[in-house]
Structure formats: structure tokens, C-alpha cells
Amino acid sequence: MRRRHPLTRFAAACLVLAAVCTLPGCGSAKDIQSLAYVTAMGIDYVDGKYVTYAQVLNFSNVARTENGELGKKVPVWLGIGHGVSITESFSDMNTTSQFPLFMGHLKTIVMSERAMRRGVKELYLTLNRYREIRYNVYVYGTKDNLSDILTQKSIFNLSPLDTTMFSGTQMDSDLTFLLPLSGNRGIANVNEPGITAMIPDISSSDKTWHEDKLPRSMSMVKGAFFLEEDRAFAWMSVSDLQGVRWSNRNLNHTPLQLPRDDGYKDMVMFVHPRMKLKIVKASGEPRFDITVRVKGTVYEMRNTPIAEMERRAEKAIEDEIRETYRKALRKRCDPFQLEELLYRKHPAVFRKLTSRDRFFLDEASLRSVHVHASITSTGKYNGNIK
């Protein structure tokens, strides 16, 4: 076997060493303890200027160790900046920040009603230029003070990361059906001509939970903002939007109360509803049919036949859908996205109708609502399941 000359091996080693020396190093990298991690941002617009909020958490706010004290109160740091643009307001905040603000862990953006009425595209395009910010951050609107929303803690005084605003947890309530909206989905809805973009309204309430005898505020979604082009123009409460829950297949569960003639109420928990929209007349004034199929489990009943519960559930779901549709008409909103269906199937008809009036739906547009409810289980107790 032919052996290389020692000088040849020495030259090769020098070349490798020279190449290694020219590689970029990590000397400018920041230590993790030398960064301020922004987990949520708030954007407001007051007196012609943007007001930007940055919620910053340290490891003691989030980490749960064996020696950690559950429920120990840990403050939430909140930075506030002002400027004629979002970038300027954020720079104003950085002026007094003692550590660089790192955006790679940003999970939620909350916009005030004032900022949304001014326009959301500018906000999205500006924030999306930060390469650390992900496309799938949750987006909310609010009517409340942003300082109150961004300093909200969870039960047991846990960090804000354990609140509804970050987790989007669905509770066993008929008022927790508006799921979080990701930023990329929100801007896609804003850019589509036939879609009425809907952004959940995050709020809080101190009416339910107490620590000892002191009321404690907890996060909740109390409604939704509707956007036209890229500006908020209407708002509806969760009670007015209850019919929308039957259109979201991603909804894990939602309870439905069924009143009885004797004053009692049966309770059924339905899961993953399936709604199908159909255009039955496209020319002239369009007409739509809605079909809903849903399965559920009995949570509470008083010797009510299953077939009767299914009939009452179908009637209750139809009433919720029609009631939400009527209330949305008064605000020129389309929560069931009927306009989008016409835009997809018959774009020429859609363009013709919207050339006269952006909102063309009326009472007669929704022709029929068909609901097929099936109760598949009565829980641990035996029931008459056909």
C-alpha cells in the first residue's frame, strides 16, 4: 500500500485547521438567562399613536419543579411602548429593557378594538417581518384594558400560560365554543373576498371564582369581532353566536340543555358536529340549506325516552342556528360563511351581487335547517338506546 509523504499529511492538516478557523462561531450568542422572553403582545391605538405591550415571563413563572411552590404568587412583567408605528412603539419599549427581547416564544397577540377598527393587515405585515415570530400564534381581540388582559393569571395563581388565552381549552359549557384563531388562518380569511373573518374576543370575569373569600378574575372568551376587508365593523356575544358551535367540526364537545314540561332539564353532551351547506338556488337571489349531523352522550335525564330526547335536541339545535342567523343579519354578519360557499361555487353570481351591496343575505336566504341528532350512550347507567 502506498503511504503518503509526511509533508503531504502536514499540509492537509494545515488546510483543515485553516478551514475550521474561518467558520463562524457562537461568540455573539446570548445566554438564555440574558434574554427576556416575550410570550404575549398587545397592540392598541390611542390618539394617533400605537401603544404596544409585551408580556415577559421568567422561568419561575412557568417552570414547575419538585421544590416549586404551587400557587406562589409570581409577578408578570409588562413592557409598554408608544410610537406612530408599531416598530417605533416597540423600539420605545426596548429603550429601557434591561435584556434583549426575544420573540421566538411569542404565543398570543391581543389587539384592542380601536386597533382592529383601524386595520389588521398593517399589524400582521409588520409583526410577521420578525423572523422569530411563528405564523401560528393565537390572535384575539378585546374590548378590555390590555394591561388587565396581559397580567391575567390562572387558577392557583399559575402563570398566564395556563389560561384560556394560551391553551384554548374547551370546558364543559355551552359558552366555550369559540376556538382560538391562528394568525395565518386569520389573515387568510381577511384576504378572501367571500369570507367574513371572525376574531374571538378575550376578556375576564371575577363573578365565579374566589380565593378564600376574595374574588379572582379568570380569562374567558365573551364574543367575537367581525372584519370587513381588514377592519372590525361588528361584534356579537357568545350567547348570540351559540348556533355557530354546530358548524365547527373541531369542537371536541358542547353540552345542550333540553327543557322538559315539568320544569326539569335533560343534558346531552354532543361531540364533533358536522355541518353541510348547500346552495339550492344560485341565480337571482341565492337560497341555502343547512344540514347538521351530531352524536352525543346523556349527562342528565329523568326517565325521558331516548327518541324524544333526540327530537327535542334536533329542534333546539335548529332554533339556535336560526336565532344566530337572524341576529347576525341585523349586524350584516355571516358567521356560517354562506357567502363563501357562493363565492366558491358561483363566483360570477357572487361578484354580481356584491357589486350592488357587499352584504346580500336576508331572512329568505336561509331556506331550511335539517338536524340529525343521535344519542349513542347513556353513560354508566343503562338507557333505552335503539
Side-chain angles (χ1 to χ4, degrees), residues 72-98:
K72 179 181 178 181
K73 294 183 179 180
V74 181
V76 177
W77 286 82
L78 193 65
I80 305 176
H82 301 76
V84 295
S85 67
I86 298 175
T87 303
E88 183 178 326
S89 65
F90 203 70
S91 297
D92 180 53
M93 188 192 313
N94 274 291
T95 302
T96 53
S97 174
Q98 306 304 297

Side-chain angles (χ1 to χ4, degrees), residues 6-285:
L7 291 178
T8 303
R9 293 198 298 269
F10 178 75
C14 290
L15 288 174
V16 172
L17 181 62
V20 170
C21 292
T22 59
L23 291 175
C26 299
S28 60
K30 298 290 183 181
D31 295 329
I32 59 173
Q33 69 271 17
S34 301
L35 296 172
Y37 296 91
V38 179
T39 51
M41 284 188 64
I43 302 174
D44 199 356
Y45 190 79
V46 182
D47 297 331
K49 287 189 175 183
Y50 284 102
V51 183
T52 304
Y53 298 76
Q55 178 197 82
V56 179
L57 302 181
N58 56 38
F59 292 113
S60 61
N61 294 76
V62 181
R64 300 178 187 173
T65 62
E66 294 181 0
N67 298 326
E69 296 182 38
L70 182 66
K72 179 181 178 181
K73 294 183 179 180
V74 181
V76 177
W77 286 82
L78 193 65
I80 305 176
H82 301 76
V84 295
S85 67
I86 298 175
T87 303
E88 183 178 326
S89 65
F90 203 70
S91 297
D92 180 53
M93 188 192 313
N94 274 291
T95 302
T96 53
S97 174
Q98 306 304 297
F99 298 108
L101 298 180
F102 180 69
M103 309 292 288
H105 290 285
L106 181 69
K107 296 180 179 294
T108 300
I109 296 173
V110 184
M111 300 174 289
S112 72
E113 184 177 13
R114 289 184 293 263
M116 288 192 296
R117 290 191 181 277
R118 177 175 172 80
V120 300
K121 278 188 179 180
E122 179 183 354
L123 311 183
Y124 180 84
L125 293 175
T126 300
L127 293 176
N128 206 39
R129 293 183 186 277
Y130 288 84
R131 62 184 62 189
E132 299 94 348
I133 298 180
R134 297 177 175 87
Y135 294 104
N136 60 347
V137 294
Y138 287 156
V139 178
Y140 293 94
T142 187
K143 290 174 173 283
D144 295 355
N145 189 305
L146 284 170
S147 296
D148 295 337
I149 296 296
L150 295 177
T151 54
Q152 184 68 55
K153 297 180 183 178
S154 184
I155 194 171
F156 308 131
N157 290 312
L158 295 176
S159 77
L161 297 184
D162 295 296
T163 63
T164 299
M165 187 172 74
F166 288 93
S167 64
T169 304
Q170 299 174 39
M171 304 302 174
D172 294 343
S173 169
D174 58 350
L175 298 180
T176 57
F177 58 87
L178 291 177
L179 303 182
L181 179 71
S182 63
N184 55 350
R185 174 53 55 191
I187 200 65
N189 291 344
V190 167
N191 289 329
E192 286 290 345
I195 297 181
T196 301
M198 186 169 63
I199 296 180
D201 174 18
I202 193 75
S203 183
S204 60
S205 173
D206 60 359
K207 306 298 184 183
T208 306
W209 287 92
H210 293 72
E211 183 181 4
D212 295 328
K213 293 185 177 181
L214 298 176
R216 290 303 183 206
S217 181
M218 293 292 155
S219 297
M220 63 177 293
V221 174
K222 69 175 184 179
F225 295 95
F226 290 85
L227 278 64
E228 179 181 354
E229 294 179 346
D230 77 323
R231 301 172 188 269
F233 73 95
W235 179 88
M236 294 181 68
S237 66
V238 288
S239 59
D240 290 342
L241 287 169
Q242 274 194 303
V244 173
R245 57 178 169 158
W246 308 110
S247 66
N248 194 339
R249 188 176 299 185
N250 295 324
L251 199 63
N252 291 330
H253 47 249
T254 185
L256 180 66
Q257 291 186 346
L258 306 175
R260 294 162 45 103
D261 295 335
D262 57 8
Y264 291 103
K265 294 181 180 180
D266 297 324
M267 173 77 76
V268 180
M269 184 68 72
F270 288 104
V271 298
H272 300 295
R274 294 173 178 265
M275 177 178 285
K276 183 178 180 180
L277 307 178
K278 181 181 179 181
I279 302 175
V280 293
K281 179 186 175 184
S283 60
E285 299 299 328

Side-chain angles (χ1 to χ4, degrees), residues 294-335:
V294 65
K295 296 180 180 180
T297 300
V298 174
Y299 269 38
E300 186 173 352
M301 64 183 296
R302 289 178 175 268
N303 298 321
T304 307
I306 296 299
E308 180 184 341
M309 293 181 66
E310 290 175 340
R311 286 194 298 270
R312 287 194 283 128
E314 291 170 353
K315 180 63 167 62
I317 293 172
E318 178 183 353
D319 290 344
E320 281 191 4
I321 292 173
R322 289 190 178 277
E323 182 65 15
T324 293
Y325 180 75
R326 283 192 291 268
K327 291 180 177 179
L329 283 180
R330 292 196 284 268
K331 298 193 176 184
R332 296 172 62 84
C333 299
D334 180 23

Side-chain angles (χ1 to χ4, degrees), residues 346-365:
H346 305 279
V349 177
F350 175 84
R351 286 192 292 268
K352 180 180 178 181
L353 291 173
T354 53
S355 64
R356 302 197 308 259
D357 187 356
R358 184 202 66 83
F359 189 78
F360 55 81
L361 299 177
D362 55 26
E363 285 275 1
S365 298

